[in-house]
Amino acid sequence: MNIDGSHYRTIWVKEGNPGTIQVIDQSRLPHSFEIIDLTTVDDFVSAIRDMYIRGAGLIGATAGFGMYIAALDAPDANFDTFIQDAAAKLIRTRPTAQNLEWAVKRQIKAMERESSPGMKREAAFAGARAIADEDSAFCKMIGEHGIVIIEEIARKKGNDTVHVLTHCNAGWLAFVDFGSATSPIYLAFDRGIDIHVWVDETRPRNQGASLTSWELGKHGVPHDLIVDNAGGHLMQHGMVDLVITGADRVTSTGDAANKIGTYLKALAAKDNGIPFYVALPSSTFDWSLTDGVAQIPIEERDPKEVTYITGKGQDSIQDVLICPETTTARNFGFDVTPSRLITGLITERGVCRADHESILKLYPEKV
Amino acid sequence: MNIDGSHYRTIWVKEGNPGTIQVIDQSRLPHSFEIIDLTTVDDFVSAIRDMYIRGAGLIGATAGFGMYIAALDAPDANFDTFIQDAAAKLIRTRPTAQNLEWAVKRQIKAMERESSPGMKREAAFAGARAIADEDSAFCKMIGEHGIVIIEEIARKKGNDTVHVLTHCNAGWLAFVDFGSATSPIYLAFDRGIDIHVWVDETRPRNQGASLTSWELGKHGVPHDLIVDNAGGHLMQHGMVDLVITGADRVTSTGDAANKIGTYLKALAAKDNGIPFYVALPSSTFDWSLTDGVAQIPIEERDPKEVTYITGKGQDSIQDVLICPETTTARNFGFDVTPSRLITGLITERGVCRADHESILKLYPEKV
């Protein structure tokens, strides 16, 4: 996507230096645009765990490149053990993220097909680039399939403004390019549909306020920031036509784990008869699970993400305390939206209902 | 209630100076405890509009004292016009707040019963004190009626911890004393019930984080702060036994306007079979309304309450920007929870179902 006229992906190999991977430091956005270098497995662990990068697809792509860097660093004599250690370290960073484990395992498989450490390193490099390219291509296809839904609403409204609500950031910053939830939105905007986005700020880390607002602004898509509490009121008053969110892990039965608070928006959409779609590349499916609420592990993070808020003060980026110093907090990162609340899934292969049978029609190889 | 061993109400007449009303400056909590003097009608307008004080009952009590100060300041020759002007100014400050208009009209009626300006001033003084005393007494009764619900849950759980979720601040800071939603909680705690409160931070103004956490902490009630997005997840996982919120205006049919986001929690409670109660003194009923979503006016406030967050930085209380500088925002202060989602109303006269017939059984004089 474009930032002030330049094309960027969220992760890439540093020019002239295949041992260095570069990413946009998303913890500094929207106040500062900075690129950071990742050169060791520990750099990758920290980038994912401490959320310099985040988002379903980008976590996967970063894990893919992390495994490549592990392969570069692994001593020939002890190659497999080193790789397994790196894989375990990477997988531990974000327990809910399906793309993480998926990418790590895909890289291990790619290396297992080769015999020598040198060949394994090459396979890991090719694998990492393939994961990133595929993520980008799949997100582009999500846009092509999802725009049909937006076009139909626009037609029904006589080309009046289509209001889409989204939660968190499932934009191009969350993937390698295009985004999942935002991909149909960008495409609709580019094709001249009158579209407006309600951006949930998405506490505790405010990825909606800091990342989705920034992305949409850079692309010129009209939007307004709202607090996470506001969506229900907007829906009650006919101010939302469609909800599209991303997902961090989706069961084979269509239950979707996504940023905490998604479930509340899905309930409100259901209560007000508003279509609620989850957009995801197939790398986000966890084919082994059938009950999201019971089975998807929910990451609990540092309570300081709740008690402190990061923003731009008079001179610098600061953390401010929003409660008494002695207050304790709990910080669950995700919730699960049961499939019964989801109108449909938008994938790279098309749109389907959020149930086992419909999902398997798109992915028959998973039967 | 108690602050570090001293008894406080939220509003009182300054000792030895009946022309000065004092309130706790709630915009400085929890980081700083400051008392401010209100001596003119404009002071009262600013205190309510700019939210130095807030909360259903306290807005009413402040409006009552504001009308008393108006009576003090009104010239004998032009008494009624001055009073009407002051009433209009006060009512305009917070469009959703039912107690505001109720208190102002009650004071006008009290003055109309008297003939001379001197007698009217005395009536306004007595009236303001009566509104405050009644608010305190009614909140105390809400505690007595509401504790029955908590006791029953505690009994069913074999005296295991009862987890109550609350949204915004319907604590003693929102009233003159005791609070509405918190009154049963304080009483349960004081009577030895093992109780724990999930405190929604309540964006955009974070009254949960800054006020409810502070209140509960000062009283010693166990609690944890959560983001507004978290309630649904907690309810899905059996971590909430009961929701109690306050209200800013309740129709005669039981629809409840309360802080934005309440509706989302009510949906989640319904979806998970968790009792959802709204606590209110009768001054919060708007007997003229029958459809809350259609009829209750919803205040829209300054977008800067969304784009900036106030908290304690390294040295001082600061506002930090959480989105790009060019981002626009919308800021709706309240939403309406339809009565079908409300298990019951806890009033000073008892607990009833949230429907017209049940409400009128408690308030037969309103038939």
Side-chain angles (χ1 to χ4, degrees), chain B residues 16-295:
Chain B
N17 187 345
T20 299
I21 305 303
Q22 294 191 303
V23 295
I24 300 168
D25 180 357
Q26 301 195 17
S27 73
R28 309 292 292 174
L29 287 173
H31 310 297
S32 171
F33 182 79
E34 296 174 22
I35 307 292
I36 49 175
D37 290 355
L38 308 177
T39 59
T40 67
V41 173
D42 284 346
D43 286 349
F44 281 82
V45 166
S46 164
I48 299 172
R49 186 193 56 215
D50 304 332
M51 296 179 68
Y52 298 104
I53 66 94
R54 26 61 57 203
L58 181 54
I59 289 173
T62 305
F65 277 111
M67 290 300 289
Y68 154 63
I69 293 293
L72 280 191
D73 288 354
D76 283 5
N78 208 14
F79 192 89
D80 288 347
T81 313
F82 191 95
I83 289 294
Q84 291 299 337
D85 282 357
K89 267 171 146 180
L90 286 166
I91 286 176
R92 266 200 306 272
T93 52
R94 301 291 310 273
T96 305
Q98 170 61 16
N99 292 60
L100 174 58
E101 196 173 337
W102 169 86
V104 168
K105 288 190 173 163
R106 176 165 154 164
Q107 286 287 65
I108 288 175
K109 261 196 197 153
M111 286 187 262
E112 280 172 354
R113 279 193 291 267
E114 306 297 334
S115 48
S116 73
M119 304 273 279
K120 285 175 195 284
R121 288 185 191 108
E122 275 179 37
F125 189 47
R129 284 183 305 174
I131 288 170
D133 289 346
E134 195 178 287
D135 183 84
S136 170
F138 282 10
C139 281
K140 195 162 191 292
M141 288 309 299
I142 287 170
E144 295 288 350
H145 296 301
I147 194 177
V148 177
I149 298 162
I150 297 173
E151 283 171 338
E152 195 182 320
I153 293 170
R155 205 161 35 239
K156 276 188 193 160
K157 292 189 79 174
N159 295 322
D160 199 4
T161 310
V162 178
H163 297 280
V164 183
L165 184 144
T166 192
H167 191 66
C168 198
N169 174 265
W172 71 265
L173 286 167
F175 290 84
V176 173
D177 212 343
F178 303 105
S180 58
T182 56
S183 189
I185 293 169
Y186 286 125
L187 196 57
F189 176 79
D190 290 344
R191 293 198 185 154
I193 293 176
D194 184 358
I195 195 163
H196 167 264
V197 183
W198 294 110
V199 178
D200 277 357
E201 63 171 340
T202 320
R203 280 279 288 148
R205 290 181 62 101
N206 284 337
Q207 294 97 328
S210 59
L211 304 179
T212 304
S213 296
W214 183 80
E215 267 194 31
L216 294 173
K218 288 287 177 200
H219 200 89
V221 181
H223 61 283
D224 280 292
L225 182 64
I226 50 172
V227 296
D228 301 307
N229 284 324
H233 171 73
L234 297 178
M235 293 185 207
Q236 282 180 318
H237 290 271
M239 297 162 82
V240 178
D241 297 303
L242 170 67
V243 182
I244 314 180
T245 74
D248 295 84
R249 189 185 294 223
V250 175
T251 66
S252 65
T253 51
D255 296 336
N258 190 45
K259 183 61 52 199
I260 190 93
T262 304
Y263 166 53
L264 295 170
K265 298 307 150 57
L267 285 167
K270 187 78 168 183
D271 200 46
N272 292 284
I274 293 162
F276 183 96
Y277 283 89
V278 174
L280 71 156
S282 51
S283 46
T284 302
F285 280 114
D286 184 338
W287 300 102
S288 70
L289 302 186
T290 54
D291 180 340
V293 174
Q295 295 174 321

Side-chain angles (χ1 to χ4, degrees), chain A residues 31 201 203 223-225 228-229 236 263 271-272 293 309 311-312 318 321 325 328 330 336 340, chain B residues 31 201 203 223-225 228-229 236-237 263 271-272 309 311-312 318 321 325 328 330 336 340:
Chain A
H31 309 298
E201 64 173 338
R203 281 279 287 149
H223 62 283
D224 281 290
L225 182 64
D228 302 306
N229 284 323
Q236 282 179 318
Y263 166 53
D271 199 46
N272 292 283
V293 174
I309 289 180
K312 191 180 176 183
Q318 303 203 353
L321 177 70
E325 285 179 17
T328 55
R330 297 286 295 274
V336 173
R340 66 186 152 86
Chain B
H31 310 297
E201 63 171 340
R203 280 279 288 148
H223 61 283
D224 280 292
L225 182 64
D228 301 307
N229 284 324
Q236 282 180 318
H237 290 271
Y263 166 53
D271 200 46
N272 292 284
I309 289 181
K312 191 179 177 185
Q318 303 202 355
L321 177 70
E325 286 179 15
T328 55
R330 296 287 294 275
V336 172
R340 65 186 153 84

Side-chain angles (χ1 to χ4, degrees), chain A residues 42-245:
Chain A
D42 284 344
D43 286 349
F44 282 81
V45 166
S46 164
I48 299 173
R49 186 192 56 214
D50 304 331
M51 295 179 68
Y52 298 104
I53 67 92
R54 23 63 56 202
L58 181 53
I59 289 173
T62 305
F65 277 111
M67 289 300 289
Y68 155 64
I69 293 293
L72 280 191
D73 289 354
D76 283 6
N78 208 14
F79 193 89
D80 288 347
T81 313
F82 191 95
I83 289 295
Q84 291 299 338
D85 282 356
K89 268 172 146 179
L90 285 165
I91 286 176
R92 267 200 305 272
T93 53
R94 301 291 309 274
T96 306
Q98 170 60 17
N99 292 61
L100 175 58
E101 195 171 339
W102 169 87
V104 168
K105 288 189 173 164
R106 178 165 153 165
Q107 287 285 65
I108 289 175
K109 260 194 198 157
M111 286 187 264
E112 281 173 354
R113 279 192 291 266
E114 307 297 335
S115 49
S116 74
M119 303 273 280
K120 285 176 195 282
R121 287 185 191 108
E122 275 178 40
F125 188 47
R129 285 183 305 173
I131 289 170
D133 289 345
E134 194 179 287
D135 182 83
S136 172
F138 281 10
C139 282
K140 195 161 191 293
M141 288 310 297
I142 287 170
E144 294 288 351
H145 296 302
I147 194 177
V148 177
I149 298 162
I150 297 173
E151 283 170 337
E152 195 183 319
I153 293 170
R155 206 162 35 240
K156 276 190 191 157
K157 292 189 80 174
N159 295 321
D160 199 4
T161 310
V162 177
H163 297 280
V164 183
L165 184 143
T166 192
H167 190 68
C168 198
N169 174 266
W172 71 265
L173 287 167
F175 290 85
V176 173
D177 212 341
F178 303 104
S180 59
T182 56
S183 188
I185 293 169
Y186 286 125
L187 196 57
F189 176 80
D190 290 345
R191 292 194 185 158
I193 292 175
D194 185 357
I195 195 164
H196 167 262
V197 182
W198 294 111
V199 179
D200 277 357
E201 64 173 338
T202 318
R203 281 279 287 149
R205 291 181 61 98
N206 284 335
Q207 293 98 330
S210 59
L211 304 179
T212 305
S213 295
W214 182 81
E215 266 194 31
L216 294 173
K218 288 287 177 201
H219 200 88
V221 181
H223 62 283
D224 281 290
L225 182 64
I226 50 172
V227 296
D228 302 306
N229 284 323
H233 171 74
L234 298 177
M235 293 185 206
Q236 282 179 318
H237 290 271
M239 296 161 82
V240 178
D241 297 304
L242 171 67
V243 182
I244 313 179
T245 74

